Amino acid sequence: MIDGPVAMPPAIYQQVKQGRTIEEEIAPVELVAKTCLEWSVKYKFAPPPAGQRFLGCMLLWTDGRCKVLRIDREDVRVHELAHCAGWPSDHPGGISPYGGAAYARER
């Protein structure tokens, strides 16, 4: 997830799958932005648009563990945990922070 308001997931993704282990780390925005950018290169997910930075990101391991790195903000927590629950990175069904329907990818 990138700087600014975040898309909220549809209800179906607001509950983490049974048996999935979540490893959450809360860190200062500078560390989150730097680490998530490094992960985006290493694990080949989209970097933020120019002039923006990550506020959180996650990695899903083949053994079912989900590693979340994020700032200490509830909307960011909900957003990233939804990805652990299977919400795709293009955010289908996402609810715009400005109100309204589906919200396209945040980049």
Side-chain angles (χ1 to χ4, degrees):
M1 170 187 3
I2 55 175
D3 237 341
V6 301
M8 297 309 291
I12 192 170
Y13 297 113
Q14 291 190 23
Q15 200 166 32
V16 175
K17 295 177 181 178
Q18 189 172 3
R20 177 144 299 156
T21 301
I22 305 297
E23 301 170 3
E24 274 190 276
E25 181 180 345
I26 298 170
V29 68
E30 295 81 12
L31 179 62
V32 170
K34 178 182 181 292
T35 303
C36 290
L37 186 59
E38 290 169 356
W39 287 1
S40 76
V41 171
K42 184 174 182 178
Y43 299 106
K44 298 179 179 27
F45 58 87
Q52 296 193 4
R53 61 187 172 182
F54 286 105
L55 299 178
C57 58
M58 55 75 68
L59 296 173
L60 184 58
W61 302 107
T62 56
D63 65 3
R65 287 178 299 128
C66 187
K67 168 71 175 176
V68 174
L69 177 63
R70 64 178 180 85
I71 64 168
D72 191 12
R73 214 169 84 186
E74 184 61 17
D75 60 335
V76 176
R77 179 182 174 277
V78 170
H79 182 106
E80 295 305 332
L81 289 178
H83 288 305
C84 291
W87 193 28
S89 62
D90 62 348
H91 306 112
I95 301 162
S96 169
Y98 305 107
Y103 181 64
R105 187 180 190 108
E106 299 171 333
R107 50 183 194 105

